[in-house]
Amino acid sequence: GGQFKREVTVDGQSHLLLIREEAGAPDAQFASWADAVIFVFSLESESSFEEVAQLHALLSDLRGTGDVALALVGTQGEPGTRGDPVGMGAGWGTPSSPPDSPDKISSSSPRAVEDARARALCGDMRRCLYYETCATYGLNVDR
């Protein structure tokens, strides 16, 4: 995983975000320091969606998620073109992605996870925002 810093302004006040990109299951140390978690899955991969649900359950077991801000992000793109299709953190599908990466749902790369299912999982996670993103078309990339 990578580490990133980004300054953001919220309600006129500047905040420094320290972002750590993780792949795989959370451990106790990660669970203890995280203030927010972004779960990322491929819209074309049922297994990546199921893994996100398992990662959330593990995080809940380690810490509980009542005081952790959560986001669920479904990405359009062929799994593996920009790294692991499942993860926690941020930075997946950023401008550093290869320009020829497929980033669309099509007959050769059909959608496996419907919007309603993703939104239902987000509802089960509580305090969770849901976004779909596509780096090629710029859909929700800056959110």
Side-chain angles (χ1 to χ4, degrees):
Q3 295 185 13
F4 309 89
K5 290 182 184 179
R6 181 168 182 163
E7 189 171 345
V8 297
T9 302
V10 178
D11 296 330
Q13 189 171 6
S14 179
H15 300 274
L16 180 62
L17 301 179
L18 302 175
I19 303 168
R20 209 170 95 179
E21 185 176 1
E22 298 285 330
D27 59 20
Q29 181 181 5
F30 172 86
S32 69
W33 74 261
D35 295 317
V37 176
I38 302 170
F39 293 98
V40 179
F41 71 96
S42 169
L43 291 166
E44 297 130 61
S45 171
E46 178 68 30
S47 63
S48 74
F49 181 72
E50 291 171 4
E51 189 170 351
V52 160
Q54 293 170 356
L55 292 172
H56 176 261
L58 285 170
L59 181 65
S60 295
D61 289 346
L62 289 169
R63 172 186 176 155
T65 55
D67 63 339
V68 178
L70 301 175
L72 179 63
V73 178
T75 64
Q76 294 184 31
E78 191 172 303
T81 59
R82 283 177 300 281
D84 194 328
V86 175
M88 298 183 300
W92 202 70
T94 62
S96 63
S97 298
D100 59 348
S101 297
D103 234 342
K104 62 184 177 181
I105 293 174
S106 65
S107 59
S108 63
S109 185
R111 183 181 186 120
V113 181
E114 293 302 321
D115 183 73
R117 288 185 58 221
R119 290 187 183 282
L121 176 59
C122 196
D124 292 345
M125 290 179 169
R126 306 199 196 305
R127 290 188 63 204
C128 181
L129 300 173
Y130 176 64
Y131 297 100
E132 288 188 6
T133 187
C134 175
T136 298
Y137 304 114
L139 176 65
N140 291 328
V141 171
D142 291 329
R143 289 186 143 195

